[in-house]
Amino acid sequence: MNLVTSVISEPSVDSEEAIARDIAAVGKLSIVPRLLKLLCDNTGMGYAAIARVTDETWTACAVEDRIQFGLGPGGQLDLKTTLCYESRQIRRPIAFDHASEDPTFRDHHTPRIYKLESYISVPIIRPDGSYFGNLCAIDPNPAQVSDVRTVNMFTALADMIALQLSIDEAYEAAHQEVAEQRATAGLREQFIAVLGHDLRNPLAAIATTAELLARRPQPQDQKLAERLRSSTRRMSGLIDNLMDFARARLGSGIGVEIRSAVDLTAALSAVVDEARAAHPQMVIQDHIRVDAPVACDPPRIQQLLSNLLGNACHHGDAEQPVLVSALTDHGTLEISVRNRGGGIPPEDLQKIFQPYWRPATSKPGGGLGLGLYICSEIVKAHGGELVATSTVEGGTCFTARLPISR
């Protein structure tokens, strides 16, 4: 049964281009289908959706439909027939378990129009405070969705969606500006403004949600928890790179705290283990033996190796191993990461350490083009050099050479 035939809205005044862009932005989030399925599984609701809600329109961007509600991505409803309209006005969740018995909603037009008994809608608000839409679920039968635990789960996932949309939008904006060769100062101010909204608070909520899911015995929850962890790691890395970039450009380079590191072998080996966990499809072989104390900032050296490894795993051939080496010799610490792939054209080798630069052939879902720039700044702050070589036959190798004493 199609429940929405009689209430599909007339064409909206919002531009079709803007609506299509919003639907595409949600569609790029690979975790969304799994997330909507999880919400239906855990609540018993038959229809879950991410909706773009403006002052005048309600548009479905992604759906999980188990009750033949009849509204897919791109479908629109008359905004004022929805409770998302009211949720947007008050910027708070709305939820009820049994409309016909609820004193507030038993006479409300929305459950009557759509023949609903249970309903939940939570705002999706970007870190900058702008309203994207709602994460919502409905069902013609009663269901327990108004309890604090369920509302908090919806809220945490709505925050995750808002954060990921903001990061993706920031990347697209930066990429477009770089392509148009706009001023670096303007880009820096834009990203500092994004960071000024304290993206780490919603990121912490997402990480907490992932840990709660990981404790559940269901395999599907375990998989979703790992996806959330992976997204959290990626978002945290993006934020770290942006903050390092801002510090480097506004100050005199990336700050380091030099001390004598006597167990750099263990620190670098831990980074390799983290990379193996984050990229299970790749084989990473390491030869790490740092025999002498090194005057360095250990967390920054770990960051250097982590960025190089992430770059190698993202661009390398999954059928070939990534090779990691860290050795001390003749007063120098040499760290190298090699991967097999198509090679980097000579003209691109001159650009790879520039901020925001990414090759035209770069895979979707990569970073902001700051990782190698941050690596070069870390090496520079240690008085060393970072070089790259690349051939089709030999693969691509990044080598950092740092003095072990200062």
Side-chain angles (χ1 to χ4, degrees):
M1 171 178 66
N2 187 315
L3 300 177
V4 299
T5 303
S6 62
V7 286
I8 292 179
S9 69
E10 295 298 318
S12 71
V13 298
D14 290 321
S15 74
E16 293 183 2
E17 180 182 353
I19 291 173
R21 186 172 58 248
D22 294 332
I23 295 172
V26 174
K28 290 179 182 178
L29 306 182
S30 61
I31 200 173
V32 162
R34 189 77 177 176
L35 183 152
L36 295 178
K37 183 178 185 299
L38 172 77
L39 293 180
C40 289
D41 289 344
N42 284 8
T43 62
M45 305 292 273
Y47 183 91
I50 295 173
R52 177 71 170 106
V53 182
T54 71
D55 286 328
E56 299 182 356
T57 62
W58 189 106
T59 306
C61 295
V63 306
E64 171 78 5
D65 189 356
R66 302 179 180 182
I67 56 173
Q68 290 75 55
F69 187 68
L71 194 71
Q76 293 188 315
L77 298 178
D78 182 339
L79 175 63
K80 292 188 178 180
T81 68
T82 74
L83 276 164
C84 291
Y85 170 72
E86 298 180 23
S87 177
R88 187 179 195 275
Q89 288 184 315
I90 62 176
R91 290 196 165 213
R92 292 199 302 270
I94 293 177
F96 53 82
D97 304 330
H98 199 166
S100 59
E101 297 180 3
D102 190 291
T104 301
F105 295 99
R106 62 190 176 193
D107 297 321
H108 195 282
H109 63 272
T110 295
R112 184 177 67 252
I113 291 172
Y114 296 102
K115 299 180 175 59
L116 306 178
E117 283 296 339
S118 52
Y119 177 94
I120 181 169
S121 181
V122 173
I124 300 173
I125 301 175
R126 297 183 182 92
D128 66 359
S130 61
Y131 202 103
F132 179 84
N134 288 68
L135 177 61
C136 51
I138 62 174
D139 199 271
N141 298 309
Q144 188 173 353
V145 292
S146 64
D147 59 286
V148 172
R149 181 180 176 183
T150 301
V151 173
N152 285 346
M153 178 177 68
F154 271 71
T155 300
L157 295 176
D159 287 344
M160 183 199 74
I161 292 166
L163 178 59
Q164 188 65 62
L165 286 170
S166 293
I167 288 176
D168 287 356
E169 288 171 2
Y171 164 73
E172 292 295 335
H175 186 70
Q176 180 180 356
E177 289 201 12
V178 170
E180 295 171 356
Q181 297 183 348
R182 294 186 178 178
T184 300
L187 289 171
R188 181 169 64 248
E189 291 172 2
Q190 176 187 354
F191 276 108
I192 291 172
V194 172
L195 293 174
H197 291 287
D198 196 2
L199 297 180
R200 294 193 185 279
N201 286 338
L203 192 62
I206 298 165
T208 301
T209 300
E211 295 306 317
L212 291 174
L213 287 172
R215 297 175 187 173
R216 297 183 178 182
Q218 294 87 351
Q220 64 184 18
D221 290 346
Q222 298 288 326
K223 291 180 180 178
L224 182 60
E226 184 52 41
R227 288 200 176 201
L228 286 176
R229 284 169 170 166
S230 177
S231 294
T232 300
R233 286 193 296 267
R234 177 173 176 267
M235 288 185 279
S236 180
L238 289 172
I239 293 170
D240 288 342
N241 281 343
L242 284 170
M243 293 184 71
D244 283 337
F245 172 74
R247 293 189 191 106
R249 288 305 180 98
L250 290 174
S252 57
I254 286 182
V256 294
E257 296 182 8
I258 304 296
R259 63 181 177 84
S260 180
V262 296
D263 196 12
L264 208 54
T265 296
L268 296 179
S269 296
V271 173
V272 174
D273 290 339
E274 290 173 3
R276 288 187 177 119
H279 304 279
Q281 80 283 5
M282 303 295 293
V283 174
I284 302 176
Q285 299 176 354
D286 66 284
H287 178 51
I288 298 175
R289 190 180 71 250
V290 183
D291 296 325
V294 178
C296 67
D297 184 332
R300 287 297 191 186
I301 299 302
Q302 287 182 301
Q303 183 183 8
L304 165 67
L305 179 56
S306 179
N307 280 1
L308 291 178
L309 265 174
N311 184 74
C313 290
H314 184 69
H315 295 286
D317 182 354
E319 301 298 321
Q320 299 290 332
V322 174
L323 307 178
V324 180
S325 172
L327 304 168
T328 51
D329 185 39
H330 295 94
T332 299
L333 169 64
E334 183 174 289
I335 299 173
S336 68
V337 177
R338 181 186 297 273
N339 67 278
R340 299 283 183 173
I344 302 174
E347 61 273 17
D348 286 348
L349 276 176
Q350 308 301 317
K351 306 173 185 176
I352 56 176
F353 297 118
Q354 296 176 7
Y356 299 115
W357 185 86
R358 299 179 75 217
T361 57
S362 183
K363 300 174 185 176
L368 297 170
L370 291 175
L372 292 177
Y373 169 77
I374 299 299
C375 289
S376 67
E377 290 295 307
I378 291 173
V379 173
K380 185 186 301 182
H382 283 80
E385 64 171 353
L386 177 62
V387 296
T389 60
S390 185
T391 64
V392 174
E393 298 79 16
T396 299
C397 183
F398 289 87
T399 304
R401 297 184 181 92
L402 313 170
I404 66 173
S405 62
R406 297 291 294 269

